[in-house]
Amino acid sequence: MAGFVQIIEYRTSKPDEVAALNERYRKEREAQGDGPAPTRGITCADRDDPGRYFAIVEFASYEEAMENSGRADTGEFAAKMMELCDGPTTFYNLDVAQSFEMS
């Protein structure tokens, strides 16, 4: 099964600003239409630990995720994101082992 997921764990007291930054980045990437991009993304807030968030970003492959990470616009986005975080982020790099959808 192909696929790759990156989970970014972070803390922020500025979730609305993070959401706005994510939306701007997504729209700019869609408008450019070049190079690999995430196939899906979701941001989750930890109900048991306020201020803790997880960004779950899916890619077609590990290689596409790494190519995306090497882009200048991705680096700029990451730098702006770090300015909005309350401390360091933690990255989890995961190969998709199984996927399913419930109907």
Side-chain angles (χ1 to χ4, degrees), residues 16-83:
D16 293 338
E17 292 178 51
V18 170
L21 176 65
N22 282 329
E23 187 63 14
R24 278 193 308 274
Y25 177 71
R26 184 188 63 78
K27 285 182 178 180
E28 288 171 3
R29 284 302 300 276
E30 284 181 352
Q32 292 170 357
D34 65 332
T39 57
R40 182 171 183 234
I42 185 171
T43 300
C44 304
D46 190 334
R47 293 180 69 99
D48 300 321
D49 190 354
R52 182 179 177 207
Y53 295 85
F54 295 86
I56 303 167
V57 186
E58 296 180 26
F59 292 89
S61 68
Y62 169 80
E63 291 76 19
E64 286 193 13
M66 294 304 103
E67 188 176 338
N68 179 72
S69 293
R71 291 176 54 106
D73 58 346
T74 301
E76 292 168 13
F77 166 79
K80 290 176 184 173
M81 179 75 176
M82 286 305 304
E83 292 173 7

Side-chain angles (χ1 to χ4, degrees), residues 1-5 40 58 94-102:
M1 172 165 287
F4 180 77
V5 173
R40 182 171 183 234
E58 296 180 26
L94 309 167
D95 291 318
V96 175
Q98 182 179 16
S99 178
F100 65 90
E101 292 184 32
M102 302 294 284

